[in-house]
Amino acid sequence: MSSRRKHEGKQTVSAQPAQAPRSGWTETVFTAGWRPYAWICGIGLLLYARVLSFGYTSLDDIHLIVSNRALLGDWHNVGRAFASDVFWKSPGAYYRPLLTLSLMADRLWGGIDPRAYHLGNIVLHLACAALVLRLLRALGTGPLAALLLALAFTVHPALTQAVAWIPGRNDMLMAAGALLAVLALLRFIAAGGWRWYWAHLGCVALGLLAKETFLLFPVLMLAYLLAVRRERWRAPSTLALVAAWLALILLYLVLRHRVVGAGAGLGHYLSADGGAVAIGMLSYLGKAMLPLGLSVLPVPADVRIGYGLAALALLVVVWCWRGAADRRTLRFGLAWFVALLLPAAFFNTGHVSFLEHRLYLPLAGLAVALGQIRVPGPRWRGMAAAAAMLVVAAFGGMAFAHCGVFRDTASFWQSAVESS
């Protein structure tokens, strides 16, 4: 990047935004210094502390942990985690070594006690919520708005499955890699230097090793560079990033091919019923904006199309919002949200289901979009903040109630029968 572009980047992007003018008690209580992170951790722990008493659900967690406890408990198998699928099979179906390594870490200190794995999920969720806050501030969202959006992410009812169901951590690991990758990319754009370049690529590698859906994320980051930041295609920094992304993707595909085969999992995407995919998109849209009718194992028959259509109308309003601080960033956030929902709407197992933990990373993109909305006038801003607080409280109550269905095998499958 030229020195002029570096200077412009420093003007508009900063991982440590300058302090906003003092705004009275809201800054003192909520937004100054470490306080927003304390609010995220405090409210998140208040909501999810009881998960530490939960057991296994018998949906994948028994197979991942208990059946493979000997393999997880031996650090000599670290290398084997990159040569086997997540169920320690080769050939297998799911190449997700980062999930395997995280389970190994929990197994070594907690054995097969489910509390160890639930604690890992809670800590990872709070870290991701803090990264959402950090990203929103780096993209120019105001302190209070960023905190409220991060709190809504923390307590969002549709994300309960990602936290309270142990295998749901897979999407949290992918989200952590994605959020860190974007933050490092912003620092690289602003300041240049190889340190942030390599940090960014390391985070991209983590995202790829977490879940195959991350293959779409470099495309989104390229769109951010070209459409939002208006970087030139032939700029040395852009070319260096694209070349590195392609190299990492190629390396990942080679590793994955050796474990699960070139076409493993792709047949479901190619043969998926278009009507089911459309229902899946409406399901996820509805639960992202209006998280009602939650289910531990939702199928097309469970989807209430009205919620999805209402959410789609809200997204159109957001897309056309004229009071955005940066309309390009707003639309990038919406593109992030929709693009990463699309593969989740395809069924990649033997049956059609729209598991709610797949909303985890897309919802971070929706937060980016909403963070760009500006409400004119102090009176309207106060009313919007009060409404957002009510939404956070309502979401928290709904998540607390829904959380109990993951308590144990009987609770989980009884809920599955009743709601699906």
Side-chain angles (χ1 to χ4, degrees):
M1 281 179 288
S2 67
S3 59
R4 181 180 66 84
R5 296 190 72 82
K6 287 184 182 179
H7 178 71
E8 290 176 354
K10 292 178 182 178
Q11 295 271 344
T12 57
V13 179
S14 171
Q16 196 106 31
Q19 288 289 332
R22 295 192 64 82
S23 55
W25 66 273
T26 57
E27 181 178 1
T28 303
V29 176
F30 295 108
T31 62
W34 49 267
R35 288 173 180 80
Y37 301 100
W39 279 102
I40 288 172
C41 291
I43 291 176
L45 288 173
L46 186 65
L47 172 60
Y48 284 115
R50 67 177 183 142
V51 171
L52 293 174
S53 66
F54 288 6
Y56 295 114
T57 64
S58 295
L59 179 65
D60 290 344
D61 46 15
I62 292 289
H63 303 291
L64 287 169
I65 299 167
V66 179
S67 299
N68 293 311
R69 57 187 178 273
L71 294 167
L72 292 173
D74 187 351
W75 268 112
H76 293 94
N77 290 323
V78 168
R80 185 176 171 183
F82 293 89
S84 305
D85 89 331
V86 74
F87 294 103
W88 296 91
K89 298 176 182 178
S90 185
Y94 300 104
Y95 185 64
R96 298 168 182 178
L98 192 59
L99 174 59
T100 301
L101 293 176
S102 74
L103 295 176
M104 290 181 74
D106 289 343
R107 165 70 174 85
L108 287 172
W109 75 270
I112 59 171
D113 188 336
R115 289 176 294 183
Y117 304 90
H118 285 305
L119 178 60
N121 274 27
I122 293 170
V123 171
L124 184 57
H125 178 54
L126 297 179
C128 286
L131 289 173
V132 169
L133 172 65
R134 188 75 171 174
L135 178 59
L136 292 172
R137 294 294 290 120
L139 292 173
T141 303
L144 184 58
L147 174 59
L148 290 172
L149 285 167
L151 287 175
F153 181 89
T154 304
V155 302
H156 198 290
L159 301 187
T160 303
Q161 187 169 46
V163 186
W165 179 53
I166 295 170
R169 79 165 52 176
N170 201 62
D171 283 74
M172 293 193 287
L173 290 168
M174 178 175 64
L179 293 167
L180 288 169
V182 175
L183 285 167
L185 178 64
L186 295 179
R187 292 299 296 264
F188 177 63
I189 294 171
W194 292 109
R195 179 180 62 165
W196 292 111
Y197 176 80
W198 292 114
H200 166 74
L201 295 183
C203 297
V204 171
L206 290 177
L208 287 169
L209 293 173
K211 193 173 181 179
E212 54 278 357
T213 309
F214 192 86
L215 285 167
L216 290 173
F217 209 72
V219 178
L220 287 170
M221 289 187 288
L222 180 60
Y224 177 78
L225 287 176
L226 300 178
V228 180
R229 298 291 305 168
R230 300 296 177 89
E231 297 287 336
R232 293 180 295 109
W233 256 108
R234 297 182 180 180
S237 57
T238 304
L239 293 175
L241 286 167
V242 172
W245 293 336
L246 291 174
L248 286 173
I249 290 172
L250 178 61
L251 177 60
Y252 165 78
L253 291 175
V254 169
L255 291 172
R256 184 179 185 277
H257 173 70
R258 295 180 63 182
V259 174
V260 301
L266 297 179
H268 295 297
Y269 290 92
L270 297 175
S271 62
D273 175 39
V277 172
I279 291 174
M281 286 296 291
L282 288 173
S283 171
Y284 285 123
L285 288 173
K287 290 178 181 179
M289 308 287 282
L290 302 167
L292 303 170
L294 301 178
S295 172
V296 298
L297 199 62
V299 297
D302 303 333
V303 176
R304 300 179 183 179
I305 296 178
Y307 294 151
L309 294 176
L312 184 60
L314 287 174
L315 286 180
V316 172
V317 172
V318 172
W319 179 272
C320 299
W321 189 266
R322 294 185 177 277
D326 185 339
R327 295 186 71 181
R328 293 198 299 266
T329 302
L330 181 149
R331 291 176 176 178
F332 164 72
L334 290 180
W336 171 340
F337 173 60
V338 174
L340 291 174
L341 275 185
L342 187 57
F346 284 83
F347 61 100
N348 55 4
T349 59
H351 63 280
V352 183
S353 63
F354 310 122
L355 297 176
E356 290 156 3
H357 68 284
R358 298 171 188 161
L359 271 167
Y360 202 90
L361 182 54
L363 273 178
L366 182 60
V368 168
L370 296 178
Q372 295 300 314
I373 291 179
R374 292 292 178 264
V375 180
R379 180 181 177 183
W380 288 104
R381 284 197 293 270
M383 293 176 63
M389 291 179 184
L390 289 176
V391 168
V392 169
F395 276 12
M398 294 166 65
F400 188 84
H402 185 55
C403 194
V405 303
F406 298 93
R407 179 179 300 280
D408 51 36
T409 299
S411 300
F412 180 90
W413 289 105
Q414 180 180 350
S415 176
V417 170
E418 292 174 350
S419 66
S420 181

